[in-house]
Amino acid sequence: MSRRPGDLAVFLLVAFGLSWLFAVPLWLSGGSGLVTVTGLAMMFTPAIAVLTVWRLRHREVPFREWAGRTGLTFGGRPGRAWKYIAVAWAGTVLLTVLATAISVATGLLSVDLAGLSLFRAQIASLGRGASLPLDPHTLAVIQLAQGLIMGPVINAIPALGEEYGWRGWLLPRLMPLGATKALVASGVIWGLWHAPLTLRGYNYPQLGAWAAVMFVGFCVLFGIFLGRLRLASGSVWPAVAGHGVLNALAGLPLLLGDAAHPPNLAVAGVTGLVGWALLAVVAAFVLRTGRPPARPTPVQGEPTGPAVQG
């Protein structure tokens, strides 16, 4: 894959090692109260890994040049990058909303639009029910608006923490495998990296530790969408936008659901099997018809391989 296998080894060791290190308090506590803090801390470990590779393996490369080579800039054509940011933004919103709508239409998701009972139950479980400054419906509207309009902006920094590693650095370094294999391999690595959380049932509480396996599949499919945008634009920012929207809207089934019939997130919504079906169609389309991605600029001693291979 590379003439400098040490780069990949350093990257994976730091990204995975720090993610497990940050998750130690969560595992020792045996509860779920630290999930949000742990997840947020973990999101920065891929970016730390990229910077570690730079400092340990390519210190001679100025950071400005390194940033360009790893997609941190807008590439040679900023207008093209902004176009793909819009595609990532709107596309992820569409996929998330459509997956939720299909889940409802097929009876896989029961919603309670009048009472928002599941949302109310979540608020009550946090102990905030007595001090809510706004009606739950108003809060739900605000949350939806933030996800639709401000998702990429609000979530940009933590999303960049992940995407700079997975799509910014890792994906181009796997390109000698061929585009399709590189996209799949980077998605598998991305999914496995979530193990400190998913082994505890995060994202799919009904599955327990099997959630770790389930989430790998989602990461492969969604990673193909994000990865193609990164390769086509020459920039990591479209992937950041898509990731930010996903983090803002993936919880739609929990926001709209019925507490009497809680959703099975392994089936309903964008991260469930309904979402998988939609993402599989998108993945097949972009792999078959996507424009040849921009050839990433290699770090000295690192070939990037062919621009496109099936």
Side-chain angles (χ1 to χ4, degrees):
M1 290 192 303
S2 170
R3 292 175 190 155
R4 299 178 67 93
D7 289 6
L8 183 59
V10 169
F11 173 81
L12 294 177
L13 179 63
V14 173
F16 278 73
L18 285 181
S19 70
W20 277 101
L21 180 63
F22 291 162
V24 167
L26 173 66
W27 280 78
L28 291 179
S29 69
S32 58
L34 297 175
V35 167
T36 300
V37 174
T38 300
L40 183 62
M42 285 176 56
M43 290 183 75
F44 291 95
T45 62
I48 294 173
V50 175
L51 297 177
T52 301
V53 170
W54 170 56
R55 292 300 295 168
L56 294 183
R57 307 283 297 178
H58 302 283
R59 188 176 301 183
E60 74 282 358
V61 180
F63 181 74
R64 181 185 294 254
E65 183 178 346
W66 179 263
R69 294 177 176 183
T70 52
L72 199 55
T73 65
F74 286 95
R77 298 171 59 185
R80 184 179 179 85
W82 279 107
K83 180 184 74 173
Y84 282 110
I85 288 173
V87 170
W89 195 325
T92 307
V93 168
L94 179 61
L95 285 166
T96 305
V97 173
L98 188 57
T100 303
I102 293 175
S103 299
V104 174
T106 55
L108 298 173
L109 172 63
S110 297
V111 296
D112 179 13
L113 300 181
L116 294 180
S117 55
L118 186 58
F119 184 44
R120 290 175 183 271
Q122 293 176 77
I123 295 174
S125 70
L126 297 175
R128 301 174 184 171
S131 59
L132 278 180
L134 297 172
D135 178 80
H137 284 86
T138 304
L139 289 175
V141 170
I142 292 174
Q143 188 166 329
L144 283 172
Q146 287 180 339
L148 292 168
I149 301 171
M150 295 296 293
V153 178
I154 295 173
N155 296 327
I157 293 178
L160 177 63
E162 281 197 51
E163 292 302 327
Y164 187 42
W166 309 130
R167 256 62 65 176
W169 186 88
L170 178 63
L171 176 58
R173 270 63 202 169
L174 297 176
M175 284 296 284
L177 294 172
T180 299
K181 291 180 180 178
L183 288 164
V184 171
S186 60
V188 170
I189 293 171
W190 182 31
L192 292 174
W193 169 86
H194 286 87
L197 296 179
T198 53
L199 283 173
R200 297 183 63 88
Y202 185 69
N203 288 321
Y204 309 106
Q206 294 91 342
L207 298 182
W210 285 103
V213 178
M214 181 85 177
F215 200 61
V216 170
F218 169 77
C219 286
V220 169
L221 292 170
F222 191 58
I224 290 174
F225 173 63
L226 296 182
R228 269 299 184 178
L229 294 175
R230 186 274 189 258
L231 293 173
S233 66
S235 171
V236 75
W237 290 104
V240 170
H243 196 149
V245 172
L246 177 75
N247 286 354
L249 292 180
L252 268 179
L254 299 177
L255 181 67
L256 305 177
D258 184 351
H261 305 282
N264 183 346
L265 297 180
V267 177
V270 70
T271 58
L273 294 180
V274 172
W276 282 35
L278 288 174
L279 288 168
V281 172
V282 172
F285 176 79
V286 300
L287 290 176
R288 181 175 294 273
T289 65
R291 297 181 61 179
R295 184 185 298 272
T297 305
V299 175
Q300 185 177 5
E302 281 195 343
T304 61
V308 176
Q309 282 185 2

